[in-house]
Amino acid sequence: MSKSITSARSFPRPSRNTRSLGFQERPLVSFPIQEVTIDWDRLIDKRPLLLETLDTMPKYLLKPEVLTLLEAETHPMHRLILDLMWCTGARVSEVLAITSASFHDDGYDFGVILKTLKQGAGRPSKRSLQRSPKRFIPILDRDFQTRIQSYLWMGKFRKDERIFPITRQAVSANIDRLIEQVGGDPPFKIGCHTFRHSFAVHLLLHGRPLKFVSQLLGHRSVESTEVYTNVLTFDGAHFLEGVDFH
């Protein structure tokens, strides 16, 4: 059972160290997630050729580039919006639909429930919000969790009140301002959706299963997610390093 971080538990729960329904709690077992070493400079250098030769490949940033933008943003609200797009893969319309009740903490996982909304003009209607499927995205970064909770506490938002009183156009304009502030020559036009594409690529670079990435993105079919695997197949030599066949 989960709860909104703005509400109290309705009844006490047994300690995790006690027996429940006759079962003794077992020790934790590590889940075998693949560890990879990523050469960011190589991937950045390879990207222009990938985007030029594969028209279907969405334009994406890599972690060092995203962090450069995030670290330059000092406004709490704008920083939170960028972080949510980068760390959850949310569309900007989905981020702008978030309320304080969207955040949940069940004692095991802290995260946000996103309403899956296709990109469209203007704010989504109440009807589309009610009919939209939902997905839960865990947020593991403790500092990010703290900033979310501080923002909610300072804003004193009602449970059903959207926490970002801003339009998509304003978010886009802020990204343009941020890029100009950072300086340099951006590799391509960077917009709100770039963070979503970057999230997908980032997970695949870390060996996360395609089906899992597809679910986090809210894709109806895993086929919609397969396009991001081009970043792996295009630079196959890099990802075959360390694979021993003999």
Side-chain angles (χ1 to χ4, degrees):
M1 179 177 180
S2 64
K3 69 179 184 66
S4 167
I5 64 172
T6 58
S7 62
R9 297 186 186 276
S10 56
F11 56 87
R13 298 176 62 180
S15 168
R16 295 181 187 175
N17 295 323
T18 61
R19 294 173 180 267
S20 176
L21 300 179
F23 292 97
Q24 185 174 9
E25 185 165 320
R26 299 181 183 277
L28 298 178
V29 178
S30 298
F31 189 77
I33 291 291
Q34 176 186 2
E35 293 186 6
V36 294
T37 301
I38 299 175
D39 185 341
W40 296 113
D41 289 335
R42 172 174 177 150
L43 290 177
I44 289 173
D45 291 339
K46 289 271 189 179
R47 180 179 54 200
L49 184 59
L50 169 60
L51 295 178
E52 182 179 349
T53 55
L54 295 174
D55 295 336
T56 58
M57 183 66 189
K59 294 179 174 61
Y60 61 94
L61 296 173
L62 292 164
K63 179 182 176 181
E65 300 168 312
V66 175
L67 293 185
T68 297
L69 292 176
L70 294 182
E71 291 167 1
E73 181 55 80
T74 58
H75 191 286
M77 182 186 72
H78 290 305
R79 172 63 191 267
L80 209 57
I81 290 173
L82 295 178
D83 270 319
L84 283 166
M85 292 192 295
W86 161 239
C87 296
T88 71
R91 302 173 177 90
V92 63
S93 56
E94 295 169 347
V95 170
L96 297 184
I98 289 175
T99 68
S100 61
S102 300
F103 295 98
H104 283 254
D105 183 357
D106 62 4
Y108 293 93
D109 295 309
F110 176 93
V112 61
I113 294 177
L114 298 175
K115 295 180 178 179
T116 302
L117 302 169
K118 289 293 185 179
Q119 206 77 359
R123 284 184 176 272
S125 65
K126 289 185 178 180
R127 183 177 181 182
S128 65
L129 286 173
Q130 292 171 350
R131 299 175 60 182
S132 299
K134 301 176 182 179
R135 62 191 193 274
F136 177 74
I137 313 295
I139 296 174
L140 304 184
D141 185 277
R142 295 290 186 183
D143 175 68
F144 189 19
Q145 293 178 14
T146 300
R147 286 191 289 111
I148 290 172
Q149 292 168 329
S150 297
Y151 181 83
L152 296 179
W153 184 82
M154 292 290 291
K156 302 185 185 303
F157 302 100
R158 298 187 306 274
K159 186 176 181 180
D160 60 346
E161 180 183 1
R162 293 176 180 176
I163 65 174
F164 300 123
I166 190 174
T167 64
R168 282 177 45 201
Q169 291 76 14
V171 175
S172 296
N174 182 67
I175 292 174
D176 292 340
R177 175 198 61 79
L178 195 60
I179 293 170
E180 184 177 351
Q181 174 185 327
V182 169
D185 186 19
F188 43 76
K189 172 65 176 176
I190 298 172
C192 297
H193 224 56
T194 307
F195 291 87
R196 175 174 168 84
H197 298 319
S198 305
F199 167 82
V201 167
H202 192 63
L203 289 183
L204 291 175
L205 287 174
H206 285 80
R208 276 26 180 192
L210 186 64
K211 178 65 174 177
F212 174 66
V213 178
S214 181
Q215 290 175 338
L216 292 185
L217 291 173
H219 285 165
R220 290 185 178 181
S221 169
V222 72
E223 294 179 358
S224 300
T225 319
E226 287 179 348
V227 64
Y228 297 110
T229 62
N230 285 316
V231 76
L232 304 178
T233 57
F234 187 81
D235 190 18
H238 176 44
F239 293 100
L240 282 175
E241 292 177 3
V243 180
D244 187 8
F245 291 98
H246 299 287

